[in-house]
Amino acid sequence: MAFRSVYPDVAIPEIALSDYVLAHARERGDKPALIDGPSGRVITYAQLPGLIARAAAGLARRGFGKGERFAIYSPNVPEYAIAFHAIASLGGAATTVNPLYTAGELAKQLSDSSARFLLTVPSFLAVAREAAAQSKVEEIFVFGEAEGATPFAALLAGEAQAPKVAIDPRKDLVALPYSSGTTGLPKGVMLTHHNLVAELCSIKGVTDAALILPEDTVLAFLPFFHIYGIVAFLNLSLHLGATVVTMPRFDLEQYLQMVQKYGVTILHLVPPIALALAKHPVVANYDLSKVRGAFSAAAPLSGTVADAMYQRVGFRVSQAYGMTEVSGACHLGPTTPEAIKPAAGGRLMPNMECRVLDTATGAELGSGEQGEILVRGPLVMQGYLKLPEATAASIDAEGWLRTGDIGYVDADGDFFIVDRTKELIKYKALQVAPAELEAIIVGHPAIVDACVIGIADEEAGEVPKAFVVLKGKITAEELQAYVAARVAPHKRIRAVELMEQLPKSATGKLLRRVLIERERSRASS
């Protein structure tokens, strides 16, 4: 059976994303739209549309136009919103890049996305230049100033006379984030204006979940390259008129300082931060009294941690469930106290359908029965960039997207995520593709074969562990250092185990599940 949302469907306007998000910006006047957390620098709602228009005009003067790609490789700063919407208003697509990426990782995304320009910060410029040299990037911009790059401010120097671009919301891409999907290497997720407008409309249609209110102040710690960051932190906040405080990098004490300093009212969390709020002693040093509630997303949060957090800080946490391929969230938990189920991943959002299938037979399951979750509706991506086979493997002919997650729905319509069929490792809120790490490991001359899995970690959720078969001499520490030099910090190997051989099927397929089950058995014994 197909499950429908418990909420009525909502109307989704045929409108470009920036027009939708900024429709009421000017009338909000001097209300802060964006605040740079460390410095306190403010961009007001009245200023924001003009800054976006000037940046768009500056890009248009450089020939950037509809259908082109612009890469943003930056930590969270207020100007990120200006750049994103300048690109969007010209009919271009922003390919948002993890700010922790190495030059090699960045170069792959620049090349695969065919990015024409790259925007970064001065401290990342060396990596950006190295990566750009391996791609077709024509010019590098920086927030601020740095030798060898064009200041982003140069785009704002002229008048706000950006060309009017005809945008087809259902066909034209606005964002091209990268995700590993259910398996394999990172792939470009094609999201249209309609996808993201539908996401914002559907969130608002969850009538008993106050994810963001106009009077809220939100602390944006999760990088805007992440779908959670670009949707919930940035675009939903700006659409509703809330204030967004940007945080360039996460540090628990600085996070708490900013919550107190700026009177943050709603916390958007990931499970490791919920755990810190529940257990870390430094939390007691800060005033969190203005916080009305919290949402956790990007990975499942256990009911035990949710309850411990509530006992410690006095406000409840609801959960959201989704993925890049569904434009952010497809399930959202209620915030009314009597309806909150701490371990639940949320309820299906308006305009969406969901099925639960038996992983062995493919049979449809009913309430209370565990199987793989599939979703369908206007939030589902257009597909993976230049990868029709991967798209077909994820979205069937009827439009159902395989999430790779195992869960069930209860009688109230609340969904619970219990496991994953997909191979991805979820380190905090970030995806780690085992295939990417395995390719790097077997590139070392001392390694003949490798398998990477995620193992449980209280703080991170999961961390990568490598099982390797040697043909030469290398220590675990040397292998970890070799991988660390080639990947972002969240992808580093945290444990290594030597094997005589890896478990494989008769056809030679790596039996990753055998190693996963063995690790779980060890952990429980």
Side-chain angles (χ1 to χ4, degrees):
M1 62 180 288
F3 297 96
R4 297 284 303 182
S5 175
V6 298
Y7 308 101
D9 282 354
V10 296
I12 303 168
E14 298 290 334
I15 189 173
L17 177 66
S18 297
D19 291 340
Y20 183 74
V21 170
L22 302 169
H24 301 289
R26 293 188 188 278
E27 62 196 58
R28 296 176 182 135
D30 291 336
K31 180 177 182 179
L34 297 138
I35 302 174
D36 180 63
S39 71
R41 180 169 51 84
V42 173
I43 295 175
T44 69
Y45 271 100
Q47 293 170 328
L48 187 57
L51 291 169
I52 291 169
R54 291 212 300 273
L59 286 175
R61 286 193 295 271
R62 282 168 164 77
F64 183 81
K66 185 175 178 179
E68 296 187 309
R69 316 284 161 71
F70 191 115
I72 308 178
Y73 173 60
S74 169
N76 291 2
V77 293
E79 287 75 13
Y80 204 116
I82 297 171
F84 182 89
H85 282 288
I87 297 161
S89 65
L90 291 173
T95 185
T96 53
V97 187
N98 187 333
L100 297 179
Y101 265 9
T102 64
E105 292 167 317
L106 173 58
K108 287 179 183 177
Q109 185 165 333
L110 293 176
S111 296
D112 188 69
S113 65
S114 302
R116 186 176 171 191
F117 296 111
L118 171 62
L119 173 61
T120 188
V121 292
S123 59
F124 292 0
L125 186 56
V127 171
R129 292 177 69 176
E130 182 181 344
Q134 303 173 49
S135 72
K136 294 183 179 180
V137 166
E138 298 173 16
E139 187 173 6
I140 300 176
F141 297 90
V142 290
F143 294 127
E145 294 186 358
E147 186 176 352
T150 304
F152 182 72
L155 296 174
L156 307 175
E159 295 184 4
Q161 297 294 327
K164 295 291 184 181
V165 178
I167 291 173
D168 184 336
R170 291 181 181 266
K171 292 182 179 179
D172 293 336
L173 302 186
V174 68
L176 188 63
Y178 274 63
S179 166
S180 297
T182 58
T183 185
L185 299 174
K187 298 174 280 290
V189 176
M190 298 188 291
L191 300 176
T192 64
H193 290 258
H194 189 74
N195 283 141
L196 295 196
V197 170
E199 174 73 14
L200 301 181
C201 291
S202 294
I203 289 172
K204 292 195 301 177
V206 182
T207 52
D208 56 358
L211 182 63
I212 293 176
L213 298 173
E215 59 268 27
D216 277 330
T217 297
V218 176
L219 180 54
F221 75 92
L222 195 67
F224 289 146
F225 89 88
H226 194 286
I227 195 65
Y228 186 5
I230 204 68
V231 171
F233 284 140
L234 193 62
N235 283 310
L236 182 62
S237 298
L238 295 179
H239 170 65
L240 293 174
T243 295
V244 181
V245 179
T246 62
M247 187 174 181
R249 58 179 296 274
F250 182 77
D251 171 84
L252 179 61
E253 190 147 13
Q254 187 181 49
Y255 176 84
L256 295 167
Q257 288 171 352
M258 289 185 185
V259 170
Q260 177 177 289
K261 176 180 178 180
Y262 293 106
V264 172
T265 54
I266 181 75
L267 300 185
H268 292 84
L269 311 173
V270 290
I273 298 179
L275 178 64
L277 290 175
K279 294 188 175 184
H280 201 291
V282 74
V283 175
N285 299 336
Y286 294 91
D287 179 7
L288 308 183
S289 62
K290 291 189 177 180
V291 177
R292 64 172 175 85
F295 274 90
S296 180
L301 176 69
S302 74
T304 302
V305 172
D307 286 336
M309 191 190 103
Y310 173 60
Q311 294 299 323
R312 177 81 181 283
V313 296
F315 50 82
R316 287 285 186 188
V317 57
S318 303
Q319 292 198 59
Y321 165 74
M323 55 200 305
T324 309
E325 288 82 351
V326 296
S327 309
C330 53
H331 294 69
L332 192 62
T335 55
T336 48
E338 67 277 6
I340 294 175
K341 297 179 182 178
R347 296 174 178 176
L348 190 62
M349 285 164 39
N351 302 69
M352 295 297 290
E353 299 174 273
C354 184
R355 297 164 71 195
V356 181
L357 301 186
D358 187 289
T359 55
T361 66
E364 290 205 57
L365 303 176
S367 296
E369 297 180 294
Q370 293 185 12
E372 183 180 4
I373 295 172
L374 283 72
V375 294
R376 181 171 70 176
L379 308 183
V380 174
M381 66 172 179
Q382 305 309 294
Y384 293 118
L385 180 69
K386 298 184 289 190
L387 294 171
E389 291 184 0
T391 299
S394 296
I395 305 174
D396 70 17
E398 296 180 339
W400 290 100
L401 171 74
R402 303 180 68 100
T403 68
D405 289 308
I406 304 297
Y408 65 94
V409 58
D410 70 10
D412 297 322
D414 289 291
F415 279 74
F416 294 78
I417 307 301
V418 298
D419 200 355
R420 290 207 303 275
T421 61
K422 54 191 179 186
E423 299 172 352
L424 288 178
I425 299 164
K426 212 59 177 289
Y427 178 92
K428 298 185 177 179
L430 303 174
Q431 295 176 337
V432 180
E436 182 180 8
L437 294 178
E438 289 160 0
I440 292 171
I441 292 169
V442 298
H444 192 285
I447 306 296
V448 68
D449 206 356
C451 177
V452 175
I453 67 169
I455 58 173
D457 180 85
E458 184 178 46
E459 180 184 354
E462 290 182 317
V463 295
K465 176 177 179 177
F467 296 84
V468 298
V469 179
L470 301 183
K471 63 177 179 181
K473 291 185 178 181
I474 186 173
T475 66
E477 292 77 13
E478 288 170 340
L479 179 59
Q480 288 172 305
Y482 174 81
V483 175
R486 291 161 173 80
V487 298
H490 68 281
K491 299 180 186 177
R492 293 175 181 172
I493 299 295
R494 298 323 202 269
V496 176
E497 183 173 335
L498 302 182
M499 304 279 287
E500 290 294 327
Q501 62 181 19
L502 297 177
K504 295 185 178 181
S505 69
T507 59
K509 183 179 180 180
L510 186 63
L511 298 177
R512 197 182 308 275
R513 176 59 62 178
V514 172
L515 297 176
I516 291 173
E517 294 298 338
R518 193 178 76 175
E519 285 297 310
R520 288 181 178 175
S521 177
R522 286 176 176 176
S524 62
S525 62

